[in-house]
Amino acid sequence: ANESLNAIDTVRGRFMQRDFRDQITTGSFYLNRPGRMRFEYDAPSPILLISDGAMVAIEDRDLETLDAVPLSQTPLNLILRPNTDLARFANILAVERKGGYISLRVSDKTEETQGELVLFFDPETFELKQWQSIDANGAVTTVQLFSAEYDVRIPARLFRIEDPEDEDDRRR
């Protein structure tokens, strides 16, 4: 799992997300390891999720709000860090074959991040295919990745967190 995650430099593709209310959304994703990712949700969702390597921000374009937390306080830090070493940085809670995948259930060893992350890998290639984020209340959000293209050029501007309140300043 570590080797597979550390081999990722850049990747873009599509995703489908099922949240804890069983609502499904889709969109495009971009990863540029270490630390950077972007999830653009398809309309009608107004959500944009960005990590610039230090912070993770959720922008709601309809409400023009931006909420940000340090990447180190999110489960995504376990897979976006410069050198993923799950045995070193995570508590490995379970490893099993599940639904045609090999799954690893992990939690943050530092306990900075509450909840758990379940990573699902293709048993043949060990390519990351999906994950489940389980928050402190037990709510599960599943993100499935597909149509992934690896080692592609991704513009750095996609990983800039910009406050929607400053939009008028950017237009000038």
Side-chain angles (χ1 to χ4, degrees):
N2 291 334
E3 188 176 312
S4 176
L5 293 171
N6 286 323
I8 298 171
D9 183 27
T10 60
V11 61
R12 71 175 170 221
R14 298 284 297 160
F15 73 91
M16 181 180 73
Q17 176 178 301
R18 181 184 304 266
D19 69 15
F20 63 93
R21 293 179 300 247
D22 212 28
Q23 294 182 333
I24 295 175
T25 51
T26 58
S28 298
F29 76 91
Y30 307 86
L31 290 173
N32 189 340
R33 289 187 73 249
R36 293 166 290 185
M37 68 157 206
R38 179 183 182 100
F39 280 75
E40 296 176 353
Y41 290 75
D42 292 337
S45 177
I47 302 299
L48 175 62
L49 178 72
I50 301 175
S51 173
D52 64 3
M55 301 294 289
V56 175
I58 299 173
E59 179 182 341
D60 184 317
R61 293 174 180 150
D62 287 351
L63 299 176
E64 295 184 359
T65 60
L66 183 78
D67 296 311
V69 296
L71 175 60
S72 63
Q73 293 180 7
T74 73
L76 292 169
N77 189 46
L78 292 172
I79 59 175
L80 291 177
R81 66 184 322 123
N83 292 302
T84 298
D85 185 343
L86 295 174
R88 181 174 171 201
F89 298 110
N91 295 312
I92 298 176
L93 307 172
V95 178
E96 58 189 346
R97 282 197 178 266
K98 190 178 193 177
Y101 299 106
I102 294 175
S103 70
L104 277 77
R105 187 178 189 120
V106 298
S107 66
D108 181 24
K109 252 187 191 169
T110 67
E111 298 182 9
E112 271 188 66
T113 303
Q114 294 185 357
E116 298 173 358
L117 190 63
V118 184
L119 304 171
F120 293 85
F121 295 92
D122 179 290
E124 302 291 321
T125 64
F126 240 80
E127 181 179 344
L128 180 64
K129 293 294 191 177
Q130 69 180 35
W131 65 77
Q132 290 179 330
S133 178
I134 306 163
D135 72 15
N137 298 318
V140 177
T141 300
T142 301
V143 176
Q144 182 178 14
L145 309 175
F146 55 96
S147 301
E149 297 175 80
Y150 291 88
D151 300 319
V152 293
R153 190 170 184 291
I154 301 173
R157 66 178 165 71
L158 291 181
F159 306 106
R160 273 191 232 124
I161 297 172
E162 297 176 349
D163 192 332
E165 291 183 2
D166 296 338
E167 188 172 327
D168 291 336
D169 294 335
R170 289 194 310 263
R171 287 187 192 152
R172 291 184 190 143

